[in-house]
Amino acid sequence: MIGLDHYLVLAAALFCIGFVGAVVKRNAIAVLMGVELMLNAVNLNLVAFDRFGVHVVPLGQSFAVFIIAVAAAEVAVALAIILTLYRRRSNTRVDDLDMLKW
Amino acid sequence: MDFSAIRLELVAALIALGLLVFGLLTPRGKREVIGYIAAAAFLGLLALSFLAPGGGGSFQGGLYLDDPLSLFFKRLFITAAFLVSLMSLRFAKSLEESRSEFFSLLGFSLVGMMMLASANDFVSLYIGLELMSLPLVILTAYDRTSGKSTEAGTKYILLSAISSAVLLFGLSLLFGATGSFSYSDTLKALGSVADDPLVVIGSIMVVAGFAFKISAVPFHMWSPDIYEGAPAPVAAFLAVGSKAAGFAALIRLLLFALPASSGDFPLLILSLSVLSMVVGNLIALPQTNMKRLLAYSSIAHAGYILLGLVAASTAGVAAMLYYLVLYLFANVGIFAALSAFGEAGGSSEISSLKGMWKRSPFMAASLLVCLLSLAGIPPAAGFIGKFYLLAEVARQGKLWLAALALVMSVVSISYYISVIRVIVMEKAEDESRIRVSLANKAILAVSVLVTLGMGVFPAPITEWTRAIAGSIVR
């Protein structure tokens, strides 16, 4: 029988994979993909808590919808900026972002 | 439905949308006028916040709260948006395209900050946070001719996306433990499950997300790069607006939703504060770029302001509010001078400020007052602000903490003074006069007046912040 714990473990694993991906990946697009995994882990958590909780109103599900919408806006902004970056340097490696440092 | 509790937000959103439409309707050659309209609209909004501040109470069943604390912060944000839009007039003129969107984005970010100050529920908190950050990211990357600006924008969006994902994961865990997103229900539910690992991990992640916004150590790495790369007016808005909004949300979160005074929470806030003061001030010492210096000084100031949350008392919160006001005017003054200097062809390297005293006495004098305020030297306001914070921490028996803050503050004087030395003592190679635009002169004059006024006559604002803090801290 699949219960709440299974979902939480899956979400935690997704979150960790996403976080590691966002931190170690060299390509800005791949970093964004890592962030998306982290956000989906959050959504999974919210929906699972909703399904196995005793709430009258599906609060978690509605918050998940908010997160999906805001994440789309975030990705749109991020991709636009990464595109500008690509036009200047013809690559999107985050290692090359070294004009600003002390 | 009664919309009076969100009157100011509605008007701010209308201003932002109006500027967007207006920009499309105006012919290309005449778009310079939009900056003046934006500044006038923000000034009008500030007037509205004093004349008809909204109905008070809550909106949508406590999703959103209109109380003295949120009103205080909203006035702070609107003032910042007004001063920053004045500061950006010249910058916007230098842009080849999309001038009108610049001010519109400023307005949207303002709405986000106002939401953040009023949020009384995790959902409105998150929406406010993103509504504030996304326009700020676009503004940071606005100068497409500069590689630094694009680079700063990329760094900002990637790091801010990661930090908000961490914050959200924390929120989802808290939701699992309490079954609610509203602050009051969370506080009630946490009374019984405060030691639940879900709650502990969840609240740490939420606090980490906000520590990123206020750039407290160890979540500070982004701010020096972004301050340096962003256009000067945007950096000013980030430094004062985004940081104050982070504190607004954090105050409400820690006093109303998470049990700030129980468990290991005080230790968490205490270590953020101590680390920020020590690391921020020490790394600021060797800086050679004025904007990076200000970034590290803003990290250190986040540490000082957090002392008020360590105290978590009426006097502590009042001291935070007082400090945020003086911090706003000191920073806006410095950034206005930097942006005026940049318009005259100067760079943001500290060495290029040489001989400023000869080149523009007014600008040099205002920079001097604002820097002294940040350093905490009387008669500027910074001294009074630090005194309130340290006195409250010491009164609660944490003498070592007050002593540490004092020592770090003395350390900080050395780098502020070294900038002042360059401005006043060293001779410039190029002794031509710097022309400061009228808008920048006005910003500098206001900053200096408020900074000195708050330092010499602290009573009115002290009374005001005490009354606000007294109305929310039990």
Side-chain angles (χ1 to χ4, degrees), chain A residues 45 63 74 88-89 97 99, chain B residues 130 144 151 172 179 181:
Chain A
N45 250 353
F63 195 19
E74 203 167 57
R88 294 189 68 87
R89 333 185 162 205
L97 296 177
M99 282 167 85
Chain B
E130 293 294 333
R144 274 187 285 168
E151 177 174 329
S172 77
F181 286 122

Side-chain angles (χ1 to χ4, degrees), chain B residues 84 113 136-137 140 156 213 222-223 226-227 230 232-244 327:
Chain B
V84 168
M113 289 172 187
L136 276 177
V137 169
T140 302
Y156 193 18
K213 283 292 158 213
W222 61 280
S223 65
I226 276 98
Y227 282 32
V234 177
F237 202 46
L238 266 171
V240 297
S242 161
K243 184 170 294 229
Y327 175 81

Side-chain angles (χ1 to χ4, degrees), chain B residues 111-145:
Chain B
V111 179
M113 289 172 187
M114 291 162 89
M115 274 190 78
L116 209 48
S118 271
N120 194 34
D121 184 291
F122 290 129
V123 181
S124 45
L125 179 82
Y126 172 66
I127 302 296
L129 188 72
E130 293 294 333
L131 186 56
M132 170 184 87
S133 309
L134 289 180
L136 276 177
V137 169
I138 306 175
L139 288 174
T140 302
Y142 217 80
D143 189 358
R144 274 187 285 168
T145 53

Side-chain angles (χ1 to χ4, degrees), chain A residues 22-93:
Chain A
V23 172
V24 304
K25 279 289 179 184
R26 299 278 170 86
N27 188 315
I29 310 276
V31 174
L32 273 186
M33 285 159 68
V35 172
E36 286 302 306
L37 276 188
M38 290 161 82
L39 290 176
N40 282 327
V42 174
N43 288 341
L44 191 60
N45 250 353
L46 289 172
V47 176
F49 278 130
D50 235 16
R51 171 71 180 77
F52 293 95
V54 284
H55 317 304
V56 189
V57 193
L59 278 174
Q61 294 181 30
S62 60
F63 195 19
V65 174
F66 274 103
I67 293 176
I68 292 169
V70 174
E74 203 167 57
V75 168
V77 172
L79 286 179
I81 292 178
I82 292 172
L83 200 63
T84 324
L85 189 77
Y86 180 78
R87 288 214 182 111
R88 294 189 68 87
R89 333 185 162 205
S90 317
N91 74 53
T92 56
R93 282 198 298 272

Side-chain angles (χ1 to χ4, degrees), chain B residues 265-387:
Chain B
F265 247 104
L267 189 65
L268 191 67
I269 304 295
L270 182 71
S271 36
L272 280 178
S273 163
V274 168
L275 277 174
S276 305
M277 285 191 288
V278 173
V279 175
N281 278 320
L282 290 183
I283 307 188
L285 285 172
Q287 295 303 322
T288 56
N289 182 303
M290 192 63 196
K291 279 176 165 175
R292 291 189 87 82
L293 179 92
L294 285 174
Y296 284 109
S297 115
S298 93
I299 293 168
H301 280 95
Y304 299 135
I305 300 173
L306 275 174
L307 286 176
L309 273 178
V310 172
S313 60
T314 311
V317 174
M320 287 175 79
L321 301 183
Y322 189 89
Y323 208 95
L324 282 167
V325 177
L326 76 90
Y327 175 81
L328 178 134
F329 284 100
N331 260 295
V332 165
I334 296 176
F335 276 106
L338 280 185
S339 109
F341 190 57
E343 284 157 13
S347 78
S348 58
E349 293 298 317
I350 294 175
S351 56
S352 73
L353 296 173
K354 273 181 194 166
M356 176 84 94
W357 190 252
K358 286 266 172 57
R359 299 182 66 192
S360 171
F362 176 65
M363 200 157 99
S366 343
L367 258 179
L368 202 77
V369 172
C370 295
L371 285 169
L372 288 180
S373 179
L374 287 184
I377 297 173
F383 173 73
I384 309 280
K386 283 208 178 103
F387 174 76

